[in-house]
Amino acid sequence: MSLLRELSVLVGDAFSEVGAERRLGEVSVSQRPDLAQFQCNGAMAAAKTLGRPPRDIASDVARIVSTDARMVGVEVAGPGFLNLHVTDEVLAQWMTKTAADDLLGLHRAQPPRSIIVDYGGPNVAKDLHVGHLRPHVIGESIKRMHLVVGHDARGDVHLGDFGLPMGQLLAILEDADPDLPYFDEAFAGPYPEVSPVTVEDLQRLYPLASARSKTEPSFQAKAQQATVELQAGRPGYVALWEHFRAVTIESLKVIYQRLGVHFELWLGEASTGERLAPLVELLLDRGVAVQSDGAIVIHVTTDEDKKELPPLMLRNSRGGSTYATTDLATIQERVDVFEAEDIIYVVDLRQSLHFQQLFRAARLGGIAGDNVTLTHAGNGTVNGPDGKPFKTRDGDLPRLSELLDVTVDLARSRLDENQLALELGASEREDVVRMVGMAALKYGELSNHRTTNYSFDIERFTQLQGKTGPYLQYVAVRAQSIIDKAATKDIVAGDFLAPSDAKERALVLEIAAWPEIVDRAIETLSPNVIAEYSYELANAFNHFYDSCHIMRENDPARQQSWLALVRLTRAVLVQALDLLTIEVPERM
RNA sequence: GCCUUCGUAGCUCAGCUGGAUAGAGCAUCGGACUUCUAAUCCGACGGUCACAGGUUCGAAUCCUGUCGAAGGCGCCA
């Protein structure tokens, strides 16, 4: 149990004793550190139900709470705020407990839940561009925060490997090279093991195919036909499509390695293939799905809607399935096969209508029961430094791999300019350069709220000072540097003493606040809560660093206590940054 | 046309689900280095929280309207 929870129990008991609801005793970190360490606002809320002035209630609660040995000052302020301080001994005990905990005080998930985070969404034959950065990084972070507290969380890349784009690729390839065995319906196999196309071929062909679909009705018809036949399982198409998929996955893994995102599941829209027909049958049987204009749809509008929602399209009039069908089948698979209790989609907010329809359809069709939560944790878009949509000179979206190159190059020149990490060998230094570049990118990304359409300004993100990824790495490295120096002088971390300095106390309080930060980040699926905390923790450490000189301290017990605090601070900072998918070098 | 989201310092953004004096970075100005890494620290400057009403003891936060921005709206994904 965290310190805040302990205090909430204490104050909650007191509220209960004066006849108010126990939950009103919830204690939070004070918004006014000049007045208090912790605060409780419950008295104002209790005033209504109890019919008494809030200050009276607060005074009664304060009298009860102040008898507890842990409390050193309990005051009523303003309209009925309860201002709380704990003794320095409590803080020291708290640090001891936290440092001994392998989770550094975080609340364990109880019970752990089975969670699928759907956050990649790359498409076969399409290169990743800057727009893909947000869902990948945010999703990875959200997955990690669930994992760290003990949930069984898995990331599913959910590859876009289905639908018309696949038919378009088949059609354009058949046009270009009709002699390939994949297009010969008489061919008995086996098909060649080596792909006839590279991922670069696909990336070049796809835009051509897409453009032809718009201008050439005959080509569009052919692509639609190929799509339906692929979905029906035509062997040559399936074999070729499997090559499309394989070469795409291979190239994705390279960039994911650089980016530090990892998927437990490499499923895709097409993974639900054999589920689609039975699912549609099931929904027709249940009367949830109906025929409409030659298509099969689910009507999802309810009486409470101001405006009618478009129905979910299960099967179009050509007999083809759509992404709505595969998404619904994917929910079924996640519930039935993976026993998912929570499904979280980190997907562009512009798809919120789709998810609204999808979730309703899943409920109506009995695909997801009440024991399953479905959440669209939508992300905003990325704009250029000018505040307009991010585009290259040619008007295209910049490729993600090029963006990573530029970022790492910029990180390298920042380190060069400041003559940093020069003592490292070439390979270790290049590793640090990569970590700094990625940290810059990711902190720039995650320090914004998930839903914000933010301005991507790599010049700003790679700054070594200010609220940036590299700054946070610097603070962790600085802490490590003290630990290393102490080791050379045989100074070891000792017991935590009661804080003796205001900056030291502030740092301890910051660390004590960590469990609730993670709770809130998980509850709201907001990595920026952790990003904000990381920065505050780093600042608190720098203030402590400035005012408490560890190597120069004469009292050995105090020196050892401070060293223990340095180690603990670094551990929490590293844990926080890991949840933001940011790596910390030993030196830089 | 309808629906959704948004509008906070010169710029980029937070704001813990309604609490105390709205915060941070950058930029600007002024101070602190024979350093445990100054990538830091201390201070100053900067706001009618788009606007107008309403609910409440209390509103950047909730409700209504206006203005402005972005996005979405059955056979694309």
Side-chain angles (χ1 to χ4, degrees):
Chain A
M1 197 189 285
S2 68
L3 184 55
L4 282 169
R5 281 198 188 174
E6 266 192 27
L7 295 174
S8 296
V9 169
L10 175 68
V11 180
D13 284 347
F15 268 92
S16 176
E17 205 170 314
V18 302
E21 283 181 77
R22 188 177 295 274
R23 59 169 188 86
L24 295 175
E26 186 177 328
V27 172
S28 58
V29 171
S30 178
Q31 302 173 349
R32 294 283 306 271
D34 52 321
L35 299 179
Q37 295 173 338
F38 306 98
Q39 72 182 66
C40 172
N41 302 341
M44 273 92 76
K48 284 172 191 143
T49 52
L50 262 52
R52 296 176 53 198
R55 281 194 67 101
D56 284 4
I57 299 168
S59 300
D60 287 352
V61 170
R63 202 173 310 115
I64 298 166
V65 168
S66 61
T67 60
D68 191 279
R70 288 167 290 183
M71 310 308 295
V72 71
V74 181
E75 292 145 12
V76 177
F81 295 107
L82 216 49
N83 282 338
L84 309 165
H85 289 84
V86 300
T87 66
D88 285 337
E89 286 69 26
V90 165
L91 294 178
Q93 285 161 18
W94 200 261
M95 290 302 100
T96 303
K97 196 171 158 184
T98 302
D101 179 7
D102 56 353
L103 250 61
L104 300 172
L106 299 187
H107 297 126
R108 270 77 178 161
Q110 51 177 337
R113 293 175 67 85
S114 173
I115 301 166
I116 302 271
V117 187
D118 181 326
Y119 63 95
N123 293 309
V124 162
K126 289 196 221 166
D127 201 11
L128 295 180
H129 55 75
V130 285
H132 286 103
L133 189 64
R134 297 218 76 186
H136 279 92
V137 176
I138 293 169
E140 179 73 20
S141 175
I142 286 175
K143 183 183 75 184
R144 289 190 189 191
M145 46 176 102
H146 285 91
L147 278 174
V148 75
V149 298
H151 288 295
D152 174 21
R154 279 172 287 191
D156 180 8
V157 70
H158 204 63
L159 205 58
D161 57 359
F162 195 80
L164 186 62
M166 300 302 106
Q168 290 171 327
L169 283 171
L170 292 170
I172 200 163
L173 212 58
E174 183 161 14
D175 233 34
D177 202 348
D179 295 334
L180 286 171
Y182 305 96
F183 303 118
D184 180 1
E185 291 198 69
F187 188 78
Y191 294 99
E193 281 183 25
V194 176
S195 174
V197 286
T198 63
V199 71
E200 289 78 15
D201 293 334
L202 293 180
Q203 288 168 5
R204 182 174 45 80
L205 288 171
Y206 177 71
L208 298 176
S210 176
R212 279 185 65 184
S213 271
K214 283 174 194 152
T215 55
E216 264 181 62
S218 65
F219 182 85
Q220 170 76 348
K222 190 174 166 185
Q224 285 172 340
Q225 180 60 25
T227 306
V228 171
E229 288 184 37
L230 173 67
Q231 290 175 5
R234 177 169 158 175
Y237 283 181
V238 171
L240 188 50
W241 167 83
E242 276 170 357
H243 284 308
F244 295 168
R245 213 174 172 273
V247 297
T248 300
I249 288 175
E250 200 179 332
S251 89
L252 283 172
K253 284 191 171 170
V254 174
I255 196 163
Y256 287 168
Q257 176 73 31
R258 289 184 79 186
L259 207 50
V261 303
H262 177 257
F263 293 97
E264 286 72 20
L265 300 171
W266 280 82
L267 300 173
E269 294 169 339
S271 309
T272 58
E274 70 287 358
R275 287 181 174 274
L276 298 179
L279 177 63
V280 174
E281 285 308 311
L282 177 76
L283 293 168
L284 284 168
D285 282 352
R286 289 184 180 169
V288 175
V290 293
Q291 301 279 347
S292 170
D293 296 337
I296 300 174
V297 303
I298 300 179
H299 293 290
V300 296
T301 307
T302 68
D303 295 341
E304 284 141 44
D305 292 316
K306 290 183 207 162
K307 163 133 199 249
E308 189 175 350
L309 269 67
L312 193 82
M313 174 86 43
L314 279 182
R315 186 165 290 165
N316 61 32
S317 47
R318 291 183 309 279
S321 296
T322 73
Y323 78 126
T325 330
T326 63
D327 273 0
L328 198 56
T330 299
I331 293 177
Q332 185 186 49
E333 180 181 39
R334 287 172 179 167
V335 171
D336 292 353
V337 179
F338 297 104
E339 299 183 328
E341 296 168 278
D342 300 309
I343 305 175
I344 300 167
Y345 295 85
V346 182
V347 178
D348 198 310
L349 273 171
R350 287 175 289 193
Q351 294 204 32
S352 46
L353 176 59
H354 166 66
F355 284 108
Q356 199 180 357
Q357 296 171 276
L358 178 68
F359 295 167
R360 288 189 185 191
R363 302 292 183 202
L364 284 170
I367 306 301
D370 294 342
N371 56 330
V372 178
T373 72
L374 301 169
T375 309
H376 177 208
N379 59 271
T381 57
V382 184
N383 292 331
D386 56 359
K388 294 180 193 149
F390 209 137
K391 295 270 172 67
T392 59
R393 285 71 56 195
D394 313 327
D396 297 327
L397 289 169
R399 292 159 54 110
L400 185 53
S401 58
E402 284 167 13
L403 191 74
L404 299 190
D405 293 342
V406 168
T407 304
V408 170
D409 287 345
L410 205 48
R412 188 181 301 105
S413 50
R414 296 278 196 223
L415 294 180
D416 289 345
E417 282 162 26
N418 293 276
Q419 307 201 327
L420 293 164
L422 292 175
E423 73 285 5
L424 302 180
S427 119
E428 192 187 347
R429 186 164 199 266
E430 202 46 35
D431 211 31
V432 170
V433 163
R434 181 189 59 82
M435 286 188 207
V436 170
M438 291 304 107
L441 195 75
K442 289 166 168 182
Y443 196 82
E445 166 70 55
L446 295 175
S447 56
N448 295 297
H449 185 81
R450 167 164 63 72
T451 58
T452 301
N453 299 334
Y454 78 105
S455 297
F456 189 91
D457 185 348
I458 201 62
E459 290 286 338
R460 180 158 58 82
F461 297 165
T462 51
Q463 292 288 333
L464 301 181
Q465 69 274 75
K467 200 170 179 175
T468 68
Y471 164 73
L472 294 170
Q473 289 175 316
Y474 159 72
V475 176
V477 166
R478 213 181 191 192
Q480 186 60 46
S481 173
I482 298 176
I483 295 165
D484 292 344
K485 186 144 289 187
T488 66
K489 297 186 178 181
D490 292 325
I491 302 166
V492 293
D495 295 336
F496 285 94
L497 302 183
S500 57
D501 179 277
K503 299 294 167 65
E504 178 190 6
R505 192 175 294 111
L507 176 58
V508 166
L509 285 166
E510 200 67 48
I511 292 171
W514 176 225
E516 273 68 26
I517 296 293
V518 175
D519 289 348
R520 201 166 80 233
I522 289 175
E523 198 182 313
T524 59
L525 304 174
S526 301
N528 75 300
V529 170
I530 291 172
E532 185 70 25
Y533 174 82
S534 308
Y535 183 70
E536 280 170 15
L537 178 66
N539 275 348
F541 177 75
N542 266 338
H543 298 158
F544 164 71
Y545 179 96
D546 192 61
S547 112
C548 303
H549 199 287
I550 292 140
M551 289 304 142
R552 227 184 274 155
E553 173 59 35
N554 292 321
D555 175 0
R558 177 61 62 190
Q559 187 178 45
Q560 290 170 16
S561 169
W562 279 350
L563 189 58
L565 185 56
V566 172
R567 296 181 73 103
L568 179 55
T569 304
R570 183 177 188 282
V572 173
L573 185 55
V574 168
Q575 189 184 45
L577 292 177
D578 181 61
L579 296 184
L580 300 175
T581 78
I582 292 173
E583 295 174 84
V584 175
E586 292 289 307
R587 299 180 290 171
M588 59 194 278

